Amino acid sequence: MSITTETGDWMTEPAVATLPEEDIILHRPQWFRNALAAPCESRRLTVDGTGIHYLRWGNGDPSRPGILFVHGNGAHAHWFHFIAPLLGEHYNVASMDLGGMGDSDWRIDYTRETFAREIGEVALSAGLGPKPVVVGHSFGGFVSLIAAHRYGEKLGGLILCDFTVRPANDAHEWFLNGPERRPTKIYKSFEEAKSRFRLAPLQPCANGFILDYIGPLSLRQVTAGETRGKRTFEESGWTWKFDHSIFNGLRMGDDHADIYTNLACRGATMFGLDSKDYEPEKLDFLRRIAPEKPAFTVPGAQHHIMLDQPQAFATAVGATMAQWQAEGALE
């Protein structure tokens, strides 16, 4: 999962590793500044009555292959703002805000199917070529898997990033057995709220300049009496953009391995080599049930691969795309 929030009662595990302070990079390197300066459009699409926001890079050539990035739990489209331009020379790229997160509208109820329809409809409407490829991270990998099950014949492929496809007898329900999520705290000032930004699972990140970029974009200002989804805010201030009620009772299901094995499009899985979610035996399981789907690791990356190793992450996505394009899967 990737949650951008204050430390809460569901963030109790310690960080998986520590880094000396001198290893944290705070200045923005040239490549990062260039990526943020690349032309980008902000767009909206209505899916099942809810406004879904996404970012779009590239040109208007409808035959050009394309990629849709889907963020994790509580994150947002800007987690890929510095990744998309690294792939823009060859592909049209979009990055979306799932319903109830980022700058998308909130729903009254959320299911894996509503998320899947959002992903599928954005992928097919954003000008991402005849057969778009969906790249989903963590929770975004889960709902992208469901989207690929529903829209697979219209997609070129699915790349799962640090999401574990498990057999039915080892299915994990992330949200059904714990306490209900508490409403996000409202802070009086933007500076105080920004200082509470954390990654979940907790981990250090050497690229501090990336956290300094995505953290503030995870916040919104709210006014007392304002209503979003099921929540009416009781005070004014700054809080996190995601709807805390999304995950109350959200069922994941035990059919992931069956879906992954029988996708109507190409498939691949990557993990951060140092991620808490990486289990070598699960990689072996994926290779057994779907030997035609690459399964690999990214050295030097923990759970948040695109934050830890952004250029390696983009290279892995681009190399997978190039292979599928050479095989004719994106046409």
Side-chain angles (χ1 to χ4, degrees):
M1 286 182 283
S2 304
I3 307 175
T4 53
T5 179
E6 72 277 4
T7 301
D9 53 4
W10 61 90
M11 289 178 60
T12 57
E13 295 186 4
V16 298
T18 58
L19 286 174
E21 186 174 346
E22 60 268 24
D23 285 357
I24 307 298
I25 304 170
L26 296 179
H27 74 277
R28 292 185 174 186
Q30 184 66 52
W31 74 264
F32 186 80
R33 299 197 301 271
N34 290 344
L36 295 189
C40 174
E41 290 184 61
S42 176
R43 299 180 179 180
R44 298 189 72 83
L45 177 71
T46 299
V47 181
D48 296 340
T50 297
I52 302 300
H53 172 258
Y54 67 95
L55 303 172
R56 170 66 159 72
W57 298 259
N59 61 34
D61 183 356
S63 65
R64 197 177 193 224
I67 305 165
L68 173 63
F69 286 111
V70 184
H71 62 78
N73 181 349
H76 49 78
H78 290 282
W79 281 54
F80 298 97
H81 199 143
F82 48 91
I83 299 292
L86 302 181
L87 296 158
E89 182 176 350
H90 302 292
Y91 307 109
N92 292 329
V93 185
S95 177
M96 67 180 291
D97 291 319
L98 291 168
M101 300 184 233
D103 293 320
S104 288
D105 295 343
W106 292 14
R107 296 184 183 275
I108 298 299
D109 297 297
Y110 303 86
T111 67
R112 71 180 203 172
E113 286 74 23
T114 59
F115 287 121
R117 286 195 293 274
E118 293 168 5
I119 294 166
E121 293 306 310
V122 171
L124 298 178
S125 301
L128 302 178
K131 291 280 188 102
V133 169
V134 177
V135 182
H137 175 248
S138 192
F139 175 81
F142 156 53
V143 290
S144 293
L145 178 67
I146 307 305
H149 178 51
R150 180 183 178 95
Y151 292 87
E153 293 183 355
K154 299 179 180 179
L155 299 178
L158 168 71
I159 304 177
L160 300 179
C161 306
D162 237 70
F163 173 71
T164 303
V165 172
R166 298 178 179 274
N169 61 4
D170 188 35
H172 288 192
E173 288 289 352
W174 293 354
F175 310 109
L176 294 184
N177 301 320
E180 286 199 352
R181 301 292 177 89
R182 297 177 300 177
T184 55
K185 184 176 179 179
I186 299 177
Y187 298 91
K188 295 299 183 183
S189 74
F190 176 77
E191 289 301 319
E192 180 189 9
K194 185 175 67 171
S195 72
R196 299 296 292 170
F197 178 79
R198 301 291 186 272
L199 297 176
L202 290 170
Q203 66 157 83
C205 179
N207 295 320
F209 62 93
I210 295 181
L211 302 187
D212 288 343
Y213 171 70
I214 61 175
L217 292 170
S218 305
L219 291 162
R220 72 156 41 94
Q221 192 170 21
V222 295
T223 304
E226 175 184 348
T227 297
R228 290 179 178 271
K230 297 177 181 178
R231 183 178 183 183
T232 298
F233 294 93
E234 297 179 354
E235 55 184 311
S236 300
W238 292 87
T239 193
W240 307 103
K241 287 184 175 179
F242 67 87
D243 182 353
H244 75 281
S245 73
I246 289 173
F247 308 107
N248 293 332
L250 182 68
R251 182 175 297 278
M252 296 182 68
D254 62 1
D255 53 355
H256 302 173
D258 182 63
I259 291 174
Y260 188 73
T261 302
N262 297 295
L263 286 175
C265 59
R266 297 291 202 276
T269 296
M270 78 167 81
F271 283 95
L273 184 58
D274 300 322
S275 172
K276 292 176 71 173
D277 288 326
Y278 169 55
E279 303 172 59
E281 61 273 18
K282 293 301 185 294
L283 218 61
D284 293 340
F285 169 71
L286 291 179
R287 289 167 176 160
R288 286 197 307 272
I289 65 170
E292 77 286 358
K293 297 181 176 69
F296 57 92
T297 57
V298 177
Q302 298 184 57
H303 177 66
H304 303 93
I305 310 171
M306 76 292 291
L307 310 185
D308 295 323
Q309 297 290 337
Q311 290 164 314
F313 176 83
T315 299
V317 172
T320 305
M321 288 283 294
Q323 180 63 44
W324 291 343
Q325 187 174 5
E327 296 169 352
L330 309 186
E331 298 175 0

